[in-house]
Amino acid sequence: MNGVKLKKVLSLNYKEGEKVKVSPHGDVVGLDGRMFKIDAQMLVDNILKNDIHIPLDENHCFGAAVGWFDKSSFEVREDGLYASLELNQKGNELVESKAYRYMSPVFIMNADNRVAELDSVGLVNRPNLLNKE
């Protein structure tokens, strides 16, 4: 992977009290070459319909959460989907120690290979999705 691609990956950039970018939207190509069709407003609508907060886990382990995205805080912006993140003690330790540098959304896909829902988000060091900048 070259340095130009590395600079464009979805970075954590977590600051207490500010919304963080959870996902790009539109037609997005991952570093692995997969194409994602992401309708951010549909993701927000489904999060509100499901009425559950979205977990932040460690490296897509799908175990204990290290933080939570508030279900009512999701908003669509020009460059992606943003939400308020509350880290727990372990999440704070992982972010402050720089054990992980990026976030990576986990999607539930439709049969037509479109993104249908946001399942969770992982703290990772090798994210697949690129910013749409």
Side-chain angles (χ1 to χ4, degrees), residues 18-29:
E18 291 183 21
K19 291 186 178 186
V20 295
K21 187 173 181 181
V22 176
S23 173
H25 63 81
D27 292 338
V28 181
V29 178

Side-chain angles (χ1 to χ4, degrees), residues 89-100:
Q89 182 178 348
K90 184 172 182 180
N92 274 314
E93 290 168 6
L94 292 170
V95 170
E96 288 176 11
S97 69
K98 297 185 180 178
Y100 294 97

Side-chain angles (χ1 to χ4, degrees), residues 63-120:
V66 298
W68 293 93
F69 292 93
D70 185 286
K71 63 187 176 189
S72 62
S73 72
F74 282 86
E75 68 178 56
V76 178
R77 295 185 185 172
E78 185 176 326
D79 66 334
L81 181 64
Y82 286 74
S84 296
L85 172 61
E86 181 182 359
L87 295 172
N88 60 26
Q89 182 178 348
K90 184 172 182 180
N92 274 314
E93 290 168 6
L94 292 170
V95 170
E96 288 176 11
S97 69
K98 297 185 180 178
Y100 294 97
R101 190 166 197 139
Y102 307 103
M103 290 191 300
S104 175
V106 175
F107 299 120
I108 297 171
M109 305 297 287
N110 280 335
D112 65 357
N113 213 29
R114 292 180 180 266
V115 172
E117 294 186 44
L118 178 64
D119 179 69
S120 62

Side-chain angles (χ1 to χ4, degrees), residues 41-59:
Q41 187 58 57
M42 184 177 72
L43 293 179
V44 171
D45 294 344
N46 285 333
I47 290 166
L48 293 173
K49 179 183 80 174
N50 293 336
D51 199 30
I52 58 172
H53 301 290
I54 302 296
L56 177 71
D57 64 34
E58 185 177 358
N59 207 26

